Amino acid sequence: DTGVSQNPRHKITKRGQNVTFRCDPISEHNRLYWYRQTLGQGPEFLTYFQNEAQLEKSRLLSDRFSAERPKGSFSTLEIQRTEQGDSAMYLCASSSRGRGDFNEQFFGPGTRLTVL
Amino acid sequence: KQEVTQIPAALSVPEGENLVLNCSFTDSAIYNLQWFRQDPGKGLTSLLLIQSSQREQTSGRLNASLDKSSGRSTLYIAASQPGDSATYLCAVIHGSSNTGKLIFGQGTTLQVKP
């Protein structure tokens, strides 16, 4: 399968615990995005990587959130001291570099986080 | 600030009907517009991408149009089937973006009844 993969698919944790999610983009896609989606809403942008550089972070990404893409391949999103408001679907997307314009983004299956 | 709206929030139609889903955006300066499908509890599947210079794109029974000047896009689904039941999301990349982040609408949940 050459699509975007995310692990784990589901995570249940207690408030105050730390969690880490992983995203493996489509091979050779240099652009990687994280989004968050709550029930009944469209996804909201969290952060963007071009290769290994994190070039944009949303104001939604509080200091409890950190993301990395150490070698420009897979990416991790860590949430420290989780809160019930962090419960959501976390989606990863990747795209290839276009000529001037931006190419189609392909999404992974998401990680569903539930904070008890 | 770019905002994307999808109306209606939900739609129910009998099988075989042709239907149109609407998407509007407040700022006509966009790079492109993308339509997605999302099944319950799943990720997003890309359906169609329309570049800002294009007027429409077609894939099978799906046709998406773009009118930048009026800030509107429509997704036309021909001969709907129960398997088309899902939430349909549209998203734009704002023309001032350096990163290509998508700005989404809230989606239209479609139910096609057999």
Side-chain angles (χ1 to χ4, degrees), chain B residues 21-80:
Chain B
L21 305 180
N22 297 298
C23 172
S24 61
F25 45 95
T26 53
D27 190 336
S28 61
I30 62 170
Y31 272 116
N32 60 39
L33 184 145
Q34 200 167 347
W35 280 94
F36 295 90
R37 168 187 173 136
Q38 186 173 35
D39 292 293
K42 307 292 185 183
L44 279 63
T45 300
S46 178
L47 297 174
L48 290 164
L49 171 72
I50 310 177
Q51 300 289 355
S52 62
S53 59
Q54 298 175 322
R55 297 281 295 183
E56 65 177 347
Q57 282 287 330
T58 298
S59 176
R61 294 183 294 109
L62 305 179
N63 175 277
S65 67
L66 174 64
D67 184 344
K68 274 194 354 178
S69 61
S70 66
R72 293 182 181 180
S73 176
T74 61
L75 179 67
Y76 175 82
I77 303 177
S80 58

Side-chain angles (χ1 to χ4, degrees), chain A residues 45-88:
Chain A
F45 169 78
L46 291 179
T47 191
Y48 163 72
F49 289 87
Q50 184 166 309
N51 299 309
E52 67 277 6
Q54 187 175 21
L55 298 184
E56 186 172 356
K57 295 196 299 184
S58 163
R59 282 174 287 181
L60 292 174
L61 218 63
S62 73
D63 56 4
R64 296 184 298 104
F65 288 71
S66 62
E68 294 182 341
R69 195 182 183 195
K71 296 184 179 179
S73 56
F74 72 92
S75 175
T76 59
L77 177 67
E78 180 183 15
I79 309 174
Q80 296 182 328
R81 304 181 304 280
T82 53
E83 302 173 355
Q84 288 183 326
D86 297 331
S87 296

Side-chain angles (χ1 to χ4, degrees), chain A residues 33 37 41 56 102 104-105, chain B residues 32 38 46 99-101 106:
Chain A
Y33 303 83
Q37 186 180 27
Q41 304 295 316
E56 186 172 356
F102 296 99
E104 191 174 7
Q105 290 187 28
Chain B
N32 60 39
Q38 186 173 35
S46 178
T99 60
K101 66 182 180 185
Q106 292 185 319

Side-chain angles (χ1 to χ4, degrees), chain A residues 28-32 48-51 69 72 95-97:
Chain A
E28 297 181 357
H29 275 190
N30 66 326
R31 299 179 187 270
L32 188 147
Y48 163 72
F49 289 87
Q50 184 166 309
N51 299 309
R69 195 182 183 195
S95 71
S96 59
R97 183 169 188 161

